Amino acid sequence: MKVLVIGGGGREHAIVRKLKENQRVTELYCLPGNGGIARDAVCVPIGATDLEGIVAFARERQIDYAVVTPDDPLALGAVDLLEAAGVPCFGPRKNAAVIEASKVFAKELMKRHGIPTARYESFDDMDAALAYLETAPMPAVVKADGLALGKGVLIAQTLPEAREAVRAMMADHRFGKSGERVVIEEFLEGPEISVLSFTDGKTIVPMISSMDHKRAGEGDTGLNTGGMGTVAPNPYYTPEVAKRCMEEIFLPTVRAMAAEGRPFKGCLYFGLMLTKEGPKVIEYNCRFGDPETQVVLPLLKSDLLSVMQAVTEGRLADCPVEFSRDAAACVIMASQGYPGSYQKGFPIHIPEDLDAELFVAGAKAQDDQLLTSGGRVLGVTAVRPTLPQALEAAYAAVRRVHFENAYYRRDIGKRALAAKEG
Ligand code: AMP
Ligand code: GLY
């Protein structure tokens, strides 16, 4: 079977590794992939949003199955186009990807169907947004409607900060067209939980829970990033919380999308906050999270390709999805300066006998040498029977990997460990 993965980060590397385990996969391609993924799949330099290029490639190589991973090709309708070309896909169609592509859509969906989330108002007129702020409770959260690489969320502590955030999005167009509409929402407090799920539009199977570390700095300080590390499972996701999430959030969301003629097939990601009133949705993503995938998939015992095909074919209810009872920790090694500007092109030295899985996010290959080429460079994942063991092993491996200007947080998992003890 010829399988194609669209995307080129650590998440895609984790997916490629898992797909490779299946003996039915005879050819595995990744567009565009990266220098590290190229060790596990054939990488072809066709960009993830070059939909014409992707469809032409799939036709020419007679691809049997495609996995579309990043948010932008999904929002642009990559799955619709590939399906029209006769290629079955894992991933939502455009009309379902909107659950991530428009925050206004997501909030209205939750309101229509009584799914717990932060209270909010949405605006496409700046004066109306500014007027609303005058009486809104602070802190307030100001979000650009569209995709903004995870950066379109500003938390304003005070009214002047909130005004500034609205102006930055709506007048200065700091997030381009994404900020033409904004959502202003109530500030929620509590631990965050990421739950990725498989859903075929009817059945939903949550994967093992995880905890992301979004801020660049230790102690959750500094700028928001794509994610600096993850652990799984998330200790706050107790069986009681899981049950509430299933009844109040997961099933209602899948049913709501189906009822509105937008059946969601693929990986639906729930960004949750465990508030005093119970779990609430912070955001939906229409795809695997990164670096969540780098701890979740190494714990998947079932065959990934079989599960994905069951999703595509609408037979998830009959497909076993099993996770290991171990724990996993992923530490992201980034370029110093990320998410701001950073230098790249440094050789990466990786010992042969590393006792961890290494997922490559931002590196290119030059001859046989990997060179840094992105903000997030590597994800170093260890799977062990307990979280402390997984963390120790991941950090032991990180200390043996070297490149100039490497930066990583030394406190990944600290909060999860404290939660377990508390
Ligand atoms: P998002 O891109 O929507 O996931 O938001 C990025 C981060 O902002 C989240 O992971 C939260 O830490 C924070 N955030 C978003 N919405 C809220 C909210 N309503 N209350 C508190 N924090 C929030
Ligand atoms: N790690 C969060 C995301 O993928 O959006």
Side-chain angles (χ1 to χ4, degrees):
M1 208 176 146
K2 299 179 188 175
V3 179
L4 169 61
V5 176
I6 316 287
R11 163 184 62 193
E12 285 76 8
H13 201 178
I15 290 171
V16 158
R17 279 267 172 80
K18 211 70 196 172
L19 290 173
K20 233 179 91 169
E21 290 175 6
N22 186 308
Q23 301 291 321
R24 286 187 288 140
V25 179
T26 49
E27 290 175 39
L28 187 54
Y29 297 94
C30 193
L31 310 186
N34 65 43
I37 297 177
R39 295 179 179 186
D40 292 297
V42 178
C43 295
V44 182
I46 296 176
T49 54
D50 175 4
L51 303 193
E52 267 178 42
I54 291 167
V55 171
F57 178 87
R59 277 216 167 99
E60 186 196 317
R61 298 291 166 110
Q62 298 182 314
I63 295 296
D64 298 299
Y65 192 68
V67 179
V68 185
T69 325
D71 50 3
D72 28 9
L74 288 167
L76 290 168
V79 168
D80 309 55
L81 288 176
L82 283 163
E83 282 179 351
V87 184
C89 291
F90 182 84
R93 291 186 186 152
K94 185 175 178 173
N95 74 350
V98 68
I99 199 166
E100 173 172 3
S102 168
K103 291 204 194 310
V104 174
F105 171 84
K107 295 299 288 192
E108 289 176 352
L109 181 86
M110 289 186 269
K111 191 183 262 184
R112 283 195 292 276
H113 297 271
I115 297 166
T117 186
R119 274 187 288 275
Y120 77 101
E121 293 291 334
S122 64
F123 301 92
D124 50 20
D125 176 76
M126 185 168 73
D127 291 332
L130 291 172
Y132 168 77
L133 282 178
E134 295 301 315
T135 56
M138 293 294 142
V141 184
V142 184
K143 299 186 174 184
D145 177 45
L147 298 176
L149 296 170
K151 292 178 191 136
V153 174
L154 298 171
I155 297 176
Q157 298 296 332
T158 61
L159 180 57
E161 275 177 40
R163 286 190 193 120
E164 175 54 34
V166 165
R167 287 200 187 98
M169 289 185 193
M170 302 189 84
D172 305 341
H173 306 289
R174 195 184 311 159
F175 304 106
K177 280 180 82 69
S178 290
E180 283 176 2
R181 284 205 289 180
V182 300
V183 169
I184 299 176
E185 69 177 34
E186 166 199 19
F187 178 75
L188 297 178
E189 280 175 286
E192 287 186 52
I193 304 171
S194 302
V195 179
L196 320 186
S197 69
F198 291 109
T199 173
D200 62 4
K202 305 177 296 245
T203 302
I204 179 161
V205 180
M207 298 183 221
I208 198 162
S209 62
S210 56
M211 185 189 285
D212 193 6
H213 297 69
K214 284 205 168 94
R215 301 292 201 93
E218 281 163 24
D220 296 317
T221 55
L223 294 174
N224 252 323
T225 69
M228 293 301 295
T230 36
V231 298
N234 185 321
Y236 290 104
Y237 194 68
T238 60
E240 297 74 49
V241 173
K243 184 165 180 286
R244 279 192 75 172
C245 287
M246 184 52 106
E247 288 167 2
E248 297 170 24
I249 296 172
F250 303 163
L251 274 172
T253 302
V254 166
R255 289 185 184 139
M257 291 295 280
E260 299 199 1
R262 303 171 183 274
F264 190 102
K265 284 186 175 197
C267 173
L268 183 53
Y269 166 125
F270 299 88
L272 305 167
M273 196 171 269
L274 190 55
T275 71
K276 287 203 180 73
E277 295 155 32
K280 293 192 181 181
V281 176
I282 289 280
E283 64 163 348
Y284 291 117
N285 289 328
C286 66
R287 52 169 175 86
F288 284 94
D290 195 3
E292 285 88 341
T293 306
Q294 300 184 48
V295 283
V296 169
L297 288 188
L299 293 172
L300 178 67
K301 288 207 293 191
S302 309
D303 172 57
L304 179 62
L305 180 63
S306 306
V307 178
M308 286 180 157
Q309 287 184 299
V311 164
T312 305
E313 293 162 18
R315 32 176 197 81
L316 184 59
D318 304 319
C319 178
V321 184
E322 267 187 78
F323 282 87
S324 148
R325 300 180 67 88
D326 289 342
C330 170
V331 177
I332 297 293
M333 298 184 75
S335 300
Q336 183 79 49
Y338 170 76
S341 58
Y342 51 83
Q343 287 182 289
K344 51 193 183 185
F346 300 114
I348 307 172
H349 304 285
I350 304 164
E352 295 263 327
D353 60 340
L354 203 65
D355 199 8
E357 258 205 283
L358 212 108
F359 299 119
V360 177
K364 61 178 188 185
Q366 201 171 72
D367 304 321
D368 260 348
Q369 178 67 56
L370 282 180
L371 304 177
T372 63
S373 70
R376 290 193 288 182
V377 177
L378 300 172
V380 181
T381 295
V383 174
R384 293 293 184 276
T386 66
L387 181 59
Q389 290 167 338
L391 284 164
E392 200 178 297
Y395 276 110
V398 163
R399 285 190 292 270
R400 298 185 62 213
V401 173
H402 297 285
F403 57 90
E404 222 173 289
N405 276 11
Y407 167 76
Y408 59 90
R409 274 179 63 166
R410 288 163 301 176
D411 64 343
I412 301 302
K414 205 169 165 182
R415 224 174 246 255
L417 289 176
K420 270 179 132 55
E421 283 157 15

